[in-house]
Amino acid sequence: LSLTDRNRDGIPEAARLDAKGTLIEAPPGRGGFQIQTPHAVAVVRGTVWAVDVTPEQTSVFVEAGRVAVRRPGGRPVELTAGDGVDVKPGRDPLVVKRWPPERAAALLARFRP
């Protein structure tokens, strides 16, 4: 995970995540924090969300709020609370799905005690 602070105010605007995962808690009104992975770009609108990166895909899950997800250069899809998307290489349309509680809980448990 590497952070980007373009305006050098001490508050990162973006992150690059090439492996593993992260949980983001962004307060509403904070602006569009962005995570770039090898497969996707996810932009937050004030929310709690998790990103998981493997060599095969990037998975994004939203616990609360809204997140826009797209492939680099692609059209975004919007996720709301309980939604997830798996982004694999290629050009197939992204499909937003309601994640089963077990899958969501397993991902979130990696970041919370």
Side-chain angles (χ1 to χ4, degrees):
L1 179 69
S2 59
L3 298 174
T4 302
D5 181 7
R6 291 182 191 99
N7 62 5
R8 300 180 183 207
D9 67 355
I11 301 171
E13 297 87 25
R16 174 79 190 180
L17 182 66
D18 292 320
K20 301 197 179 184
T22 190
L23 177 71
I24 304 295
E25 294 188 26
R30 164 72 174 77
F33 186 82
Q34 174 176 290
I35 292 188
Q36 296 177 316
T37 76
H39 314 103
V41 177
V43 181
V44 67
R45 306 285 195 265
T47 191
V48 179
W49 54 305
V51 178
D52 185 38
V53 180
T54 68
E56 297 79 31
Q57 70 182 23
T58 294
S59 299
V60 179
F61 173 74
V62 176
E63 184 178 41
R66 297 179 314 162
V67 172
V69 178
R70 65 177 173 81
R71 286 190 180 91
R75 292 185 166 189
V77 295
E78 187 167 288
L79 283 64
T80 58
D83 290 342
V85 66
D86 296 313
V87 183
K88 298 178 181 182
R91 296 179 179 211
D92 293 336
L94 299 181
V95 178
V96 176
K97 296 181 180 178
R98 297 298 283 179
W99 275 21
E102 301 80 19
R103 183 175 181 194
L107 178 59
L108 294 172
R110 291 177 41 199
F111 307 107
R112 295 182 173 147

